[in-house]
Amino acid sequence: MKSSGRAPFLALSVFAALLAACHKTPAPNQGLAVPSGHVQGWTGATANFAPNGPAGEWPSQARDYANTRYSPLTQITPANVARLRTAWSFSDGAQYGHEGAPIVVGDTMYLVTPFPNIAYALDLTKPGAPIKWSFSPNPSPIAIGKACCDAVLRGWAVADGKLIYNLLDDHTVAVDIKTGKQVWRTKMDNPENGTTMTMAATVFGDKVYVGNSGGELGTRGWLAALDVATGKELWRAYGSGPDTDVKIGPDFKPYYDWMKGKDLGAASWPSDMWKHGGASSWGWVSFDPQLNLIYYGTSNPSPRVPAQRPGLNLWTAAMFARDATTGMAKWAFQFTPHDQWDYDGVNENILIDIPFQGRMHKALVQFNRNGFAYTIDRQTGQVLVAQPFGNLNWATGVDMKTGQPIVNPAMQPKPGIKLVNACPTDLGVKDWQPAAFSPRTGLLYAPTLNVCMDLTDHVQSYIAGTPYDGMEMTRHPGPGGNWGAFIAWDPVHGRKVWSIPENFMLFSGALATASDLVFYGTVDGWFRAVDARTGKVLWSQKLGSGIISQPITYTGPDGRQYVAVYSGVGGATSVESKQAGFPAHGNTLYVFSIDGAGPGAAAGMLATVTAAGKAGG
Amino acid sequence: MRARDLRVGLATAALFALAACGQPAGRRAAPAAVGMTANRLPVGDLAGDVQSPALLSVQNPFAGQPDAIAQGKVLFVKMNCAGCHGYDLAGNMGPNLADRYWRYGGTPGAVYQSIARGRPQGMPSWGRALPPADIWRLVAYIQSYGGMTPAAQYQAGEQGDLAGAPPSAPGEAKGVGTGQAAGKSRMQSDAAQSAAP
């Protein structure tokens, strides 16, 4: 891991050569300065991979606290990846979109379906990975009709001998991973009011962090910490309202002056509209164990019609850094002040350390819905880099003095007047589907959207349990005609390194491995492996349904490296369902290995009769 | 106006009177021991609510009236219906209302009931918030998209067997990319439904 003196020069040379060879990429930055002693990737960016669990496990949705989705496994390489075949598969029967990542701890894989949120433990030591146990929590079906974007679940957690996850009907539940029996269940909110829970419960230490969904239904957003052992709620921080509710105290030090003041979460709204103001937290939480800070974002404001809510509408479309223990806010940053296009701030914050202006910064990167990729100092909240990572026209840039976007006045919607070709749509240039980071290249790998909208706002009234929304939209692809693109991004210089256009919106997560492979899936059902350095597609396999989940990799009990991904379209991609070739729903987990070898392939009559001794091998 | 109000009143009264008729004997007879009465309970031949056929075959007094349809459209946006069912009624969070697949029946009476009483997968009950005339206006607006079941075909509609029904024009080709215009089968409608949950 240590660098030699030549390495920076070599890395830069390779970088430049590759860029020169690739027609689509911009010229390399001639001024790229990589400090000595820090040369892992081309950009010099690296990460803390705590908790540094066993290399073969995939113990949490993002694999590590920093949310890198990077695996150190190296058996599957650019040279042999074309031999990936299905080793086994598993159908769970649930018909809504499958967005989560399998968790592998020890010899067991843990899965949870979208509504009705049934959990499965699969025994990886046996042929075909049979079900060890399943658990049916029976959530209320009322929640189905309160979920804005399909009755999905974006993930689950394993910690302290429990599988912990959210139910669509606003409960968090913990299940004993040995017995499959419920340990605790905590009611967090009421679906009748338009609140659901779709985010992945996330565990750091002895706390599980959960938040709510419902920014389209006039919910009031929050993030809460529960005790992993008992499910008891320890604290809850609201996304709007007075400082006490938002857990803002004397330690709160936003970097920019315009976010300083008393009770701005209420004062930046007309009268008491903050009470139904959105700011829900349905995305990802990351954690810096050294700073003891958690990082997460907040949703769009409600109603989505901006004319009804003049003001900054804090703390919507923003992110918080909070003390992981007490929940008190350390700093905040609002990406899209007075959001007018539904640009939530909930996307994953990937914690990386980067060389910038001559010294290393503890930073984070968020590919925001609004189309700017922000590299932010995670200790102070200062924006270091903010550059577009796809097509947008609602702003012309970010003012680096204030961190605020420079809004294009022509792209501001007004009630009853059709606004033509505003980019991006309500789904952003990237939605919740998480990017990955590789320290070997220093690049981030992001699934992106290239979609614009014609938008007509309709003034809305708050009616509990109904959409507090008001955006009438038709959506069409942006320049190039491709609805999506998979990109490699340099977070230090704020530039795209390569890009793979895709016909459909890209709504799967990304996975990066130490053998310089990156995996992602498409809405029309292709699962791909890509060379992390060149962006060359090395392998593609068509699966049963579209892929809007998150691929993972793990080592089986047999010592083989596997790659796994759920196929089951749904979620927000249904807005594209009229496009030719849009697949039907599905619910199958596919597990791949080199030549399809492994316990699944060896099972069955053939193995029993001719090679019983090898069954399961 | 008075004549219309009278018609609305009659249609609505008929709905509720019939709904009461259809209810099992709660208030009318003292409950006997369960084991005694169970064998004698009448059983219908269709799945769904215990209700009179007349409830399903009741006509919408506003059906086809342009002013009522326009008022229904305004209500559809104002009461936040469009946020779930789409500004084009093609469905989004809530089911498609422009196709011919209906979870709870597609006759005017059945759709009235869905709006007034709510449904278990998140459809709120609007019977208290909206007067019957407004609910009928909403039904008229939905009817104007052509996917609803004619009252006269309530029986076929209850069984999901509308193969003999004339294909409705507007809103028919919504849903999954394959979208044939006319003659879409129930199965195809079903698929379209689930693609827009």
mmCIF file of all heavy atoms in Angstrom, chain B residues 143-167:
data_model
loop_
_atom_site.group_PDB
_atom_site.id
_atom_site.type_symbol
_atom_site.label_atom_id
_atom_site.label_comp_id
_atom_site.label_asym_id
_atom_site.label_seq_id
_atom_site.Cartn_x
_atom_site.Cartn_y
_atom_site.Cartn_z
ATOM 1 N N GLN B 143 -65.016 8.348 -15.919
ATOM 2 C CA GLN B 143 -65.769 7.691 -16.997
ATOM 3 C C GLN B 143 -65.387 8.244 -18.368
ATOM 4 O O GLN B 143 -65.385 7.526 -19.362
ATOM 5 C CB GLN B 143 -67.275 7.884 -16.790
ATOM 6 C CG GLN B 143 -67.933 6.817 -15.928
ATOM 7 C CD GLN B 143 -69.414 7.074 -15.737
ATOM 8 O OE1 GLN B 143 -69.781 8.050 -15.084
ATOM 9 N NE2 GLN B 143 -70.242 6.214 -16.286
ATOM 10 N N SER B 144 -65.058 9.539 -18.392
ATOM 11 C CA SER B 144 -64.777 10.176 -19.682
ATOM 12 C C SER B 144 -63.513 9.617 -20.325
ATOM 13 O O SER B 144 -63.274 9.806 -21.513
ATOM 14 C CB SER B 144 -64.648 11.696 -19.506
ATOM 15 O OG SER B 144 -63.420 12.037 -18.897
ATOM 16 N N TYR B 145 -62.688 8.907 -19.538
ATOM 17 C CA TYR B 145 -61.487 8.289 -20.110
ATOM 18 C C TYR B 145 -61.779 6.942 -20.762
ATOM 19 O O TYR B 145 -60.911 6.343 -21.391
ATOM 20 C CB TYR B 145 -60.399 8.137 -19.031
ATOM 21 C CG TYR B 145 -59.536 9.370 -18.918
ATOM 22 C CD1 TYR B 145 -60.031 10.533 -18.333
ATOM 23 C CD2 TYR B 145 -58.246 9.389 -19.421
ATOM 24 C CE1 TYR B 145 -59.258 11.673 -18.233
ATOM 25 C CE2 TYR B 145 -57.451 10.514 -19.328
ATOM 26 C CZ TYR B 145 -57.970 11.659 -18.742
ATOM 27 O OH TYR B 145 -57.193 12.778 -18.658
ATOM 28 N N GLY B 146 -62.982 6.423 -20.550
ATOM 29 C CA GLY B 146 -63.414 5.269 -21.327
ATOM 30 C C GLY B 146 -63.071 3.900 -20.771
ATOM 31 O O GLY B 146 -63.437 2.895 -21.368
ATOM 32 N N GLY B 147 -62.378 3.824 -19.636
ATOM 33 C CA GLY B 147 -61.968 2.512 -19.144
ATOM 34 C C GLY B 147 -62.958 1.849 -18.210
ATOM 35 O O GLY B 147 -62.820 0.667 -17.902
ATOM 36 N N MET B 148 -63.948 2.614 -17.739
ATOM 37 C CA MET B 148 -64.842 2.054 -16.727
ATOM 38 C C MET B 148 -65.807 1.041 -17.328
ATOM 39 O O MET B 148 -66.041 0.995 -18.526
ATOM 40 C CB MET B 148 -65.598 3.179 -16.009
ATOM 41 C CG MET B 148 -64.733 3.819 -14.921
ATOM 42 S SD MET B 148 -65.494 5.211 -14.062
ATOM 43 C CE MET B 148 -67.102 4.569 -13.681
ATOM 44 N N THR B 149 -66.366 0.243 -16.446
ATOM 45 C CA THR B 149 -67.309 -0.791 -16.864
ATOM 46 C C THR B 149 -68.706 -0.185 -16.957
ATOM 47 O O THR B 149 -69.156 0.429 -15.994
ATOM 48 C CB THR B 149 -67.329 -1.920 -15.815
ATOM 49 O OG1 THR B 149 -65.992 -2.321 -15.544
ATOM 50 C CG2 THR B 149 -68.148 -3.099 -16.314
ATOM 51 N N PRO B 150 -69.374 -0.330 -18.104
ATOM 52 C CA PRO B 150 -70.749 0.174 -18.182
ATOM 53 C C PRO B 150 -71.607 -0.493 -17.109
ATOM 54 O O PRO B 150 -71.433 -1.688 -16.823
ATOM 55 C CB PRO B 150 -71.196 -0.233 -19.585
ATOM 56 C CG PRO B 150 -69.932 -0.441 -20.351
ATOM 57 C CD PRO B 150 -68.909 -0.908 -19.355
ATOM 58 N N ALA B 151 -72.504 0.283 -16.530
ATOM 59 C CA ALA B 151 -73.316 -0.244 -15.438
ATOM 60 C C ALA B 151 -74.043 -1.517 -15.860
ATOM 61 O O ALA B 151 -74.200 -2.456 -15.071
ATOM 62 C CB ALA B 151 -74.310 0.821 -14.989
ATOM 63 N N ALA B 152 -74.453 -1.564 -17.134
ATOM 64 C CA ALA B 152 -75.220 -2.715 -17.597
ATOM 65 C C ALA B 152 -74.372 -3.985 -17.635
ATOM 66 O O ALA B 152 -74.901 -5.086 -17.696
ATOM 67 C CB ALA B 152 -75.790 -2.428 -18.982
ATOM 68 N N GLN B 153 -73.051 -3.822 -17.625
ATOM 69 C CA GLN B 153 -72.184 -5.007 -17.695
ATOM 70 C C GLN B 153 -71.564 -5.323 -16.346
ATOM 71 O O GLN B 153 -70.475 -5.879 -16.258
ATOM 72 C CB GLN B 153 -71.086 -4.783 -18.728
ATOM 73 C CG GLN B 153 -71.630 -4.735 -20.146
ATOM 74 C CD GLN B 153 -70.550 -4.418 -21.162
ATOM 75 O OE1 GLN B 153 -69.590 -3.737 -20.850
ATOM 76 N NE2 GLN B 153 -70.737 -4.888 -22.373
ATOM 77 N N TYR B 154 -72.281 -4.950 -15.274
ATOM 78 C CA TYR B 154 -71.688 -5.096 -13.954
ATOM 79 C C TYR B 154 -71.293 -6.531 -13.656
ATOM 80 O O TYR B 154 -70.283 -6.801 -13.021
ATOM 81 C CB TYR B 154 -72.638 -4.572 -12.874
ATOM 82 C CG TYR B 154 -73.842 -5.452 -12.633
ATOM 83 C CD1 TYR B 154 -73.820 -6.455 -11.668
ATOM 84 C CD2 TYR B 154 -75.007 -5.272 -13.377
ATOM 85 C CE1 TYR B 154 -74.911 -7.266 -11.463
ATOM 86 C CE2 TYR B 154 -76.100 -6.081 -13.183
ATOM 87 C CZ TYR B 154 -76.051 -7.085 -12.219
ATOM 88 O OH TYR B 154 -77.119 -7.895 -12.026
ATOM 89 N N GLN B 155 -72.089 -7.504 -14.169
ATOM 90 C CA GLN B 155 -71.818 -8.897 -13.837
ATOM 91 C C GLN B 155 -70.501 -9.359 -14.483
ATOM 92 O O GLN B 155 -69.634 -9.912 -13.828
ATOM 93 C CB GLN B 155 -72.963 -9.787 -14.304
ATOM 94 C CG GLN B 155 -73.612 -10.495 -13.143
ATOM 95 C CD GLN B 155 -74.909 -11.168 -13.535
ATOM 96 O OE1 GLN B 155 -75.512 -10.837 -14.561
ATOM 97 N NE2 GLN B 155 -75.338 -12.095 -12.726
ATOM 98 N N ALA B 156 -70.382 -9.066 -15.769
ATOM 99 C CA ALA B 156 -69.143 -9.420 -16.469
ATOM 100 C C ALA B 156 -67.964 -8.678 -15.836
ATOM 101 O O ALA B 156 -66.872 -9.223 -15.679
ATOM 102 C CB ALA B 156 -69.267 -9.079 -17.943
ATOM 103 N N GLY B 157 -68.217 -7.421 -15.461
ATOM 104 C CA GLY B 157 -67.157 -6.632 -14.864
ATOM 105 C C GLY B 157 -66.673 -7.218 -13.551
ATOM 106 O O GLY B 157 -65.477 -7.259 -13.267
ATOM 107 N N GLU B 158 -67.591 -7.700 -12.738
ATOM 108 C CA GLU B 158 -67.217 -8.299 -11.462
ATOM 109 C C GLU B 158 -66.330 -9.516 -11.657
ATOM 110 O O GLU B 158 -65.481 -9.824 -10.842
ATOM 111 C CB GLU B 158 -68.479 -8.703 -10.689
ATOM 112 C CG GLU B 158 -69.130 -7.580 -9.920
ATOM 113 C CD GLU B 158 -68.353 -7.222 -8.671
ATOM 114 O OE1 GLU B 158 -68.530 -7.904 -7.662
ATOM 115 O OE2 GLU B 158 -67.571 -6.261 -8.715
ATOM 116 N N GLN B 159 -66.562 -10.230 -12.761
ATOM 117 C CA GLN B 159 -65.772 -11.431 -13.013
ATOM 118 C C GLN B 159 -64.539 -11.136 -13.864
ATOM 119 O O GLN B 159 -63.801 -12.048 -14.226
ATOM 120 C CB GLN B 159 -66.638 -12.483 -13.717
ATOM 121 C CG GLN B 159 -67.776 -12.954 -12.832
ATOM 122 C CD GLN B 159 -68.680 -13.954 -13.516
ATOM 123 O OE1 GLN B 159 -68.206 -14.859 -14.170
ATOM 124 N NE2 GLN B 159 -69.961 -13.774 -13.359
ATOM 125 N N GLY B 160 -64.334 -9.873 -14.173
ATOM 126 C CA GLY B 160 -63.164 -9.512 -14.963
ATOM 127 C C GLY B 160 -63.252 -9.990 -16.398
ATOM 128 O O GLY B 160 -62.259 -10.083 -17.107
ATOM 129 N N ASP B 161 -64.461 -10.298 -16.841
ATOM 130 C CA ASP B 161 -64.625 -10.859 -18.183
ATOM 131 C C ASP B 161 -65.328 -9.837 -19.063
ATOM 132 O O ASP B 161 -66.541 -9.817 -19.168
ATOM 133 C CB ASP B 161 -65.437 -12.149 -18.092
ATOM 134 C CG ASP B 161 -65.694 -12.754 -19.459
ATOM 135 O OD1 ASP B 161 -65.044 -12.321 -20.430
ATOM 136 O OD2 ASP B 161 -66.540 -13.648 -19.551
ATOM 137 N N LEU B 162 -64.534 -8.979 -19.662
ATOM 138 C CA LEU B 162 -65.108 -7.930 -20.491
ATOM 139 C C LEU B 162 -64.687 -8.111 -21.940
ATOM 140 O O LEU B 162 -64.637 -7.164 -22.708
ATOM 141 C CB LEU B 162 -64.681 -6.559 -19.973
ATOM 142 C CG LEU B 162 -65.355 -6.181 -18.647
ATOM 143 C CD1 LEU B 162 -64.647 -4.999 -18.022
ATOM 144 C CD2 LEU B 162 -66.819 -5.861 -18.861
ATOM 145 N N ALA B 163 -64.390 -9.362 -22.300
ATOM 146 C CA ALA B 163 -63.893 -9.607 -23.654
ATOM 147 C C ALA B 163 -64.907 -9.163 -24.703
ATOM 148 O O ALA B 163 -64.544 -8.695 -25.773
ATOM 149 C CB ALA B 163 -63.589 -11.093 -23.834
ATOM 150 N N GLY B 164 -66.189 -9.283 -24.370
ATOM 151 C CA GLY B 164 -67.217 -8.913 -25.316
ATOM 152 C C GLY B 164 -67.515 -7.422 -25.339
ATOM 153 O O GLY B 164 -68.250 -6.953 -26.208
ATOM 154 N N ALA B 165 -66.931 -6.697 -24.398
ATOM 155 C CA ALA B 165 -67.225 -5.270 -24.318
ATOM 156 C C ALA B 165 -66.478 -4.517 -25.407
ATOM 157 O O ALA B 165 -65.384 -4.914 -25.806
ATOM 158 C CB ALA B 165 -66.837 -4.737 -22.954
ATOM 159 N N PRO B 166 -67.076 -3.433 -25.915
ATOM 160 C CA PRO B 166 -66.371 -2.658 -26.940
ATOM 161 C C PRO B 166 -65.112 -2.037 -26.347
ATOM 162 O O PRO B 166 -65.129 -1.582 -25.216
ATOM 163 C CB PRO B 166 -67.391 -1.584 -27.330
ATOM 164 C CG PRO B 166 -68.314 -1.488 -26.162
ATOM 165 C CD PRO B 166 -68.350 -2.845 -25.533
ATOM 166 N N PRO B 167 -64.001 -2.049 -27.100
ATOM 167 C CA PRO B 167 -62.783 -1.425 -26.592
ATOM 168 C C PRO B 167 -62.992 0.073 -26.420
ATOM 169 O O PRO B 167 -63.624 0.714 -27.254
ATOM 170 C CB PRO B 167 -61.747 -1.718 -27.676
ATOM 171 C CG PRO B 167 -62.537 -2.012 -28.906
ATOM 172 C CD PRO B 167 -63.850 -2.567 -28.456
#
